[in-house]
Amino acid sequence: MTDRPRPVAIEAEGLGWTYAGRSRPALQGLVFRVEPGRVLLVLGPSGSGKSTLARALAGLVPHTLPGRWGGSLRVGEMDVATTPARFLGERVGLVFQDPDSQLVMARVEDEVAFGLENRGWPRSSMTVRVPDALAQVGLAGFERRDTATLSGGEKQRLATADVLAAGPSLLVFDEPTANLDPPGMHATLARLAELAQRREHTIVLIEHRLEAALPLADDILMIGEDGRQLAFAPAGSVGPEAADLLERSGAWVPQAWRRERDPIQAPPGDHSGAQVLRASEVRLDYPTDGAGTRRALDGVSLHVRAGERVALVGPNGAGKSSLLFALAGLRRPDAGTIRLRTLPRGGVAAQQWRDPARVPAGEVADQVGIVFQDPELGFVARTARGEVQASDAAARRPRPQRGHGEGPGLPSSEGVLARFGLVNLASEDPFRLSQGEQRRLSLAALALRPPALLLLDEPTFGLDRRGTGAVLSLLDELLATGQAQILATHDPRLLPACDRVVALDQGRKVFDGTPGTFLAAPPYSPAEPWRGDSAQPGRAGVRSTGRSSR
Amino acid sequence: MSLLPAPLAPVRPAFLTKVTPAARLVAGFTWIIAAVVTLDPAVPARLTIAAIVALVLWSGLPLGRIPGRMAPLGFAILSLTAFSILLSGSNTDRSLATVLELGPVRVTGPAIAAGLAIGLRVVVIGLTTLLVVGPSDPTRLADSLVQQWHVPDRFAYGSLAALRVAPFMAGDWAVVGAARRLRGLQPRGPIGRIHDAGDRILVMLVSAIRRAERLALAMDARGFDSGIRRTHFRELRVGWRDWLTVAFALAVAVAAIALPS
């Protein structure tokens, strides 16, 4: 327990796994060998079994989750299929994606000690290892902090300290930065790079932020949609054929390997339309513990035109969600005004403005819509078809002539299902769909009666390149009907697909301009995290001139 | 955007914060048992005074915030006491003197005594619970239950992990409500409201189960409940403060019963 860990080799021979109750294997026929102390980057589209591989390395597959195992996987001298999970767990540390569902304890030092307690470490060793592990991830001095008060990046570093404390030989990171804002992502990847340089652990990294992750990798494993290995090679010698296979699988591909056209194109909208949203000097306060308040928004003004797509960016806690809630009329501002243009009614082009908080329930669906980061929380029906029809069925006014179905006249729910690629799933329970299908359904649900203003919170979260492209092209169609879209995101890759970028920091608007200007000089320090992974200018096709829309 | 009020936590070092939760639990039980087994309202009244003194002197809790947090319980206790007095059987006994008469309602002395006894018992239970739970965080309570009372790890730390994710569920509830409102789904009538609440709860359940699955997997990956005997980073030792607390609480309980009315 006291001697330093030694990195181990990983060896897979025909590794396969099928989860109980599924007919399609999650992984099949993987053959690779990673030498001790190297960093393996695993690439593949959504649903390719990357997370399953991470679980297998930690022994959760096959020891905790039920299913059918095939072939062999060795971590050092241990055969995963036959080694009890507790021995594997001592040598392998696994860091998951979601910072909020992997921390157990309320206090930082208790959290790090949790895994050591489970493995029966004596108290004297724990008191040495806990501060040591925290120092390794840059959290020295955080021992007494409440884990709930940490930022997302700090939580992921804490989760790393949790697994480092036990002195593992193999570290597995399953999309550790997916839920983080750019500063958190930057800090987490920087710590990971330090760990990799020390060569004390073999590291397996699953990561979508490729431009930042690729320089860390020694070896690359590519897995296709069907869970089969596409390629395995040292990072420096990935051939064009392998890159091509990966690109065709729909996965994110590093810029340097890319040949196909980038799926992220400038928005097609004609944003010379009329203004649909006027928010002036919006202030929003939240009561805090005791008598004080925390200012979530401080004098934010925002005007948006029909057909315009605005990206809303900023670190966690900058006020993005608060602004979306306020614009949707779900939270009254404490000062300032929010006005939405009323929709034309009875052939009269109305020129009135109204408070979104006062729009009656029967009309709200045409005025403003919202898609949350977790599409499941927004589902209101028991079938996909019911989901598409729900807003229309609840509305008390005839549908405006702006819908999105097929053929002339009013669109039909069947037309919408076809447009969004959901015909075969029309009778399915929304909760049983895959992540990508749920995303498409959450947009299809707003297509029959497209709201004049659509608010989206991380609309491409967790999607691969193909999924992101599909969501953006559906959003383009809605934009073409004259809809205005505001899209809150941490992903700089989406910015070129927007007409304008609005950046918030600590509740204030700190930038309002074109994506090109924003990416060239982000109004944050350090600016690096925003530049790291974005599409290079010129790569993303023609960028809109981003005319100011004031 | 937390929707749950912050829990009451000690704001200054105090005697009871240094007593192990298990000892506080034993001490608290002596008072609750004393309050429940006697019919005389004087016993819970004395214990209420004792509990208030203990809260002020030894709990370390922010006293200004206690009345606000106890308000819902206070309202329940007032209604319970009022109904107990009004509905008491002794009100119909014509041999007893009338204390108060409001139209058809007649209230007697024994009815008031019985009603107060019931109400004050609940007051004692509430204040004692605050003295037991308030002075330390839930983690220490779980540690204490496992180390001193040998409650199974899976139950104690599993509950602790569940408690940690509760605020996220409150956030989910707000998001579910917002999504439904913006789709124009407004429940009509009482039946509609029941349907609406049922649908929202279903969505919440799905989300809660997914979150619980992720958390359970993360705990398993860190060797939780893997058959190894668990050790403890924060060891709780029974000290003189624990014995003093239990002895003092017992003495107060006995005195509250034994003193002449």
Side-chain angles (χ1 to χ4, degrees):
Chain A
M1 235 172 258
T2 44
D3 45 47
R4 299 303 282 187
R6 294 247 187 106
V8 288
I10 308 167
E11 195 164 10
E13 287 223 37
L15 171 63
W17 176 259
T18 309
Y19 285 102
R22 303 277 178 85
S23 53
R24 209 176 67 93
L27 285 176
Q28 42 186 333
L30 297 194
V31 180
F32 64 89
R33 180 183 162 84
V34 178
E35 296 300 326
R38 285 173 76 88
V39 178
L40 173 70
L41 178 63
V42 184
L43 303 177
S46 302
S48 61
K50 302 189 294 292
S51 292
T52 304
L53 177 60
R55 291 169 176 182
L57 288 165
L60 295 173
V61 160
H63 298 297
T64 298
L65 298 163
R68 206 173 63 247
W69 178 270
S72 85
L73 177 67
R74 297 182 71 83
V75 174
E77 72 285 6
M78 294 179 294
D79 185 329
V80 170
T82 55
T83 307
R86 63 192 226 200
F87 293 123
L88 273 166
E90 275 176 22
R91 305 291 299 282
V92 182
L94 174 53
V95 174
F96 295 83
Q97 181 188 91
D98 181 4
D100 289 322
S101 52
Q102 62 178 317
L103 302 182
V104 185
M105 298 302 229
R107 212 199 279 195
V108 167
E109 58 180 356
D110 292 344
E111 173 61 32
V112 181
F114 178 74
L116 307 178
E117 293 176 321
N118 291 337
R119 295 181 182 116
W121 279 45
R123 195 165 171 275
S124 52
S125 313
M126 288 195 271
T127 50
V128 176
R129 288 297 286 162
V130 168
D132 183 41
L134 283 171
Q136 283 190 58
V137 297
L139 291 179
F142 279 60
E143 282 83 352
R144 298 276 161 139
R145 283 275 296 274
D146 180 350
T147 52
T149 64
L150 303 180
S151 72
E154 287 166 346
K155 282 177 182 165
Q156 287 304 69
R157 276 146 67 201
L158 176 56
T160 309
D162 291 346
V163 300
L164 278 176
S169 301
L170 168 62
L171 289 172
V172 183
F173 294 89
D174 188 358
E175 300 200 28
T177 71
N179 288 49
L180 304 183
D181 57 2
M185 171 203 121
H186 188 69
T188 304
L189 286 176
R191 292 291 162 181
L192 224 151
E194 284 172 24
L195 278 177
Q197 265 165 7
R198 295 214 309 259
R199 303 272 167 202
E200 285 174 4
H201 317 272
T202 306
I203 295 178
V204 173
L205 175 61
I206 301 167
E207 181 58 66
H208 275 319
R209 320 270 187 146
L210 296 179
E211 309 313 317
L214 195 60
L216 305 179
D218 298 309
D219 295 310
I220 304 241
L221 173 67
M222 299 179 190
I223 311 179
E225 250 177 323
D226 51 0
R228 277 182 213 276
Q229 183 167 324
L230 295 175
F232 174 72
S237 57
V238 172
E241 280 168 39
D244 219 41
L245 277 175
L246 185 67
E247 192 157 19
R248 268 186 274 135
S249 75
W252 288 109
V253 176
Q255 292 284 347
W257 304 354
R258 187 176 293 161
R259 286 209 255 159
E260 275 180 35
R261 219 165 55 121
D262 196 298
I264 296 168
Q265 300 289 315
D270 169 14
H271 43 83
S272 57
Q275 279 187 356
V276 293
L277 166 72
R278 283 182 187 164
S280 324
E281 298 292 324
V282 174
R283 199 187 82 206
L284 206 62
D285 295 323
Y286 284 107
T288 55
D289 188 19
T293 56
R294 191 178 66 80
R295 185 146 297 178
L297 293 176
D298 193 358
V300 174
S301 297
L302 180 62
H303 297 204
V304 180
R305 289 171 184 278
E308 191 178 28
R309 182 183 292 149
V310 177
L312 187 62
V313 302
N316 283 337
K320 301 191 300 296
S321 303
S322 300
L323 184 57
L324 291 187
F325 265 68
L327 296 181
L330 297 166
R331 175 80 165 79
R332 275 272 174 78
D334 293 291
T337 56
I338 296 171
R339 294 290 178 265
L340 301 178
R341 179 187 297 279
T342 50
L343 296 169
R345 194 202 289 252
V348 184
Q351 282 299 320
Q352 286 171 319
W353 294 84
R354 66 178 169 184
D355 184 346
R358 289 168 183 268
V359 180
E363 295 169 34
V364 69
D366 294 328
Q367 194 90 56
V368 55
I370 194 163
V371 177
F372 291 103
Q373 178 173 330
D374 182 354
E376 282 189 341
L377 295 178
F379 289 146
V380 300
R382 303 283 159 83
T383 64
R385 183 181 283 113
E387 199 59 47
V388 169
Q389 294 167 340
S391 304
D392 194 37
R396 269 174 254 155
R397 297 174 42 180
R399 228 183 287 158
Q401 290 269 1
R402 288 193 304 124
H404 232 268
E406 274 180 327
L410 288 175
S412 67
S413 53
E414 299 310 308
V416 168
L417 285 165
R419 276 297 245 286
F420 286 72
L422 296 165
V423 170
N424 295 331
L425 304 168
S427 311
E428 285 284 322
D429 184 339
F431 290 107
R432 293 183 170 277
L433 302 180
S434 76
Q435 200 185 14
E437 289 161 354
Q438 287 190 337
R439 277 276 165 221
R440 293 209 304 275
L441 179 57
S442 66
L443 295 174
L446 298 170
L448 201 53
R449 296 184 77 107
L453 173 65
L454 178 59
L455 309 169
L456 303 122
D457 192 3
E458 295 286 356
T460 59
F461 179 79
L463 296 183
D464 56 17
R465 191 176 54 92
R466 178 173 294 157
T468 301
V471 163
L472 283 176
S473 74
L474 296 173
L475 285 178
D476 284 350
E477 287 194 26
L478 291 171
L479 200 68
T481 66
Q483 183 176 65
Q485 298 174 352
I486 299 179
L487 180 160
T489 184
H490 285 321
D491 191 347
R493 284 181 293 221
L494 293 185
L495 301 191
C498 300
D499 295 298
R500 236 168 95 201
V501 175
V502 168
L504 297 180
D505 196 9
Q506 295 177 8
R508 291 172 172 278
K509 189 164 89 169
V510 294
F511 180 88
D512 189 342
T514 65
T517 321
F518 179 82
L519 289 169
Y524 300 102
S525 69
E528 197 52 40
W530 281 98
R531 288 184 193 157
D533 216 29
S534 64
Q536 297 302 305
R539 275 272 183 185
V542 185
R543 178 169 296 125
S544 90
T545 51
R547 173 174 9 151
S548 171
S549 49
R550 286 298 162 112
Chain B
M1 293 205 304
S2 173
L3 298 176
L4 294 180
L8 280 174
V11 290
R12 56 181 180 274
F15 182 83
L16 282 176
T17 62
K18 297 179 190 118
V19 173
T20 59
R24 289 202 305 266
L25 207 54
V26 173
F29 264 115
T30 65
W31 287 12
I32 290 174
I33 289 166
V36 169
V37 296
T38 54
L39 295 172
D40 182 359
V43 176
R46 288 166 186 153
L47 288 172
T48 302
I49 293 167
I52 291 171
V53 170
L55 270 176
V56 171
L57 294 181
W58 301 308
S59 76
L61 294 171
L63 301 173
R65 283 181 50 209
I66 293 175
R69 293 298 301 277
M70 301 297 269
L73 183 64
F75 180 74
I77 291 170
L78 281 182
S79 359
L80 178 69
T81 310
F83 276 103
S84 303
I85 293 173
L86 292 176
L87 301 178
S88 170
S90 51
N91 287 342
T92 55
D93 188 342
R94 289 285 156 191
S95 65
L96 292 167
T98 303
V99 177
L100 188 73
E101 197 150 16
L102 290 168
V105 183
R106 178 173 170 269
V107 177
T108 61
I112 292 175
L116 280 179
I118 290 171
L120 283 171
R121 276 177 201 164
V122 186
V123 172
V124 172
I125 293 171
L127 293 178
T128 308
T129 308
L130 196 58
L131 281 168
V132 170
V133 178
S136 59
D137 59 59
T139 312
R140 259 174 79 90
L141 182 60
D143 283 341
S144 177
L145 291 179
V146 168
Q147 291 178 40
Q148 294 171 316
W149 286 18
H150 305 289
V151 168
D153 291 336
R154 204 157 183 94
F155 174 76
Y157 293 105
S159 309
L160 199 60
L163 197 64
R164 230 191 60 78
V165 298
F168 298 110
M169 302 222 16
D172 284 354
W173 180 255
V175 166
V176 171
R180 301 180 71 82
R181 181 188 132 72
L182 291 181
R183 299 284 297 279
L185 300 172
Q186 204 184 38
R188 283 171 218 168
I191 307 277
R193 270 176 206 284
I194 292 168
H195 264 285
D196 184 63
D199 288 349
R200 285 174 75 171
I201 288 167
L202 181 82
V203 176
M204 293 288 293
L205 273 179
V206 172
S207 157
I209 289 168
R210 303 245 154 116
R211 200 183 285 280
E213 279 172 352
R214 289 199 297 271
L215 188 60
L217 210 55
M219 289 171 78
D220 278 349
R222 289 168 67 196
F224 185 61
D225 204 24
S226 56
I228 302 168
R229 196 183 156 78
R230 221 171 169 275
T231 51
H232 299 284
F233 177 63
R234 279 210 257 172
E235 264 172 40
L236 293 172
R237 293 233 168 82
V238 178
W240 62 270
R241 286 189 182 86
D242 295 340
W243 294 114
L244 181 65
T245 303
V246 173
F248 181 74
L250 190 63
V252 171
V254 169
I257 295 174
L259 282 177
S261 297

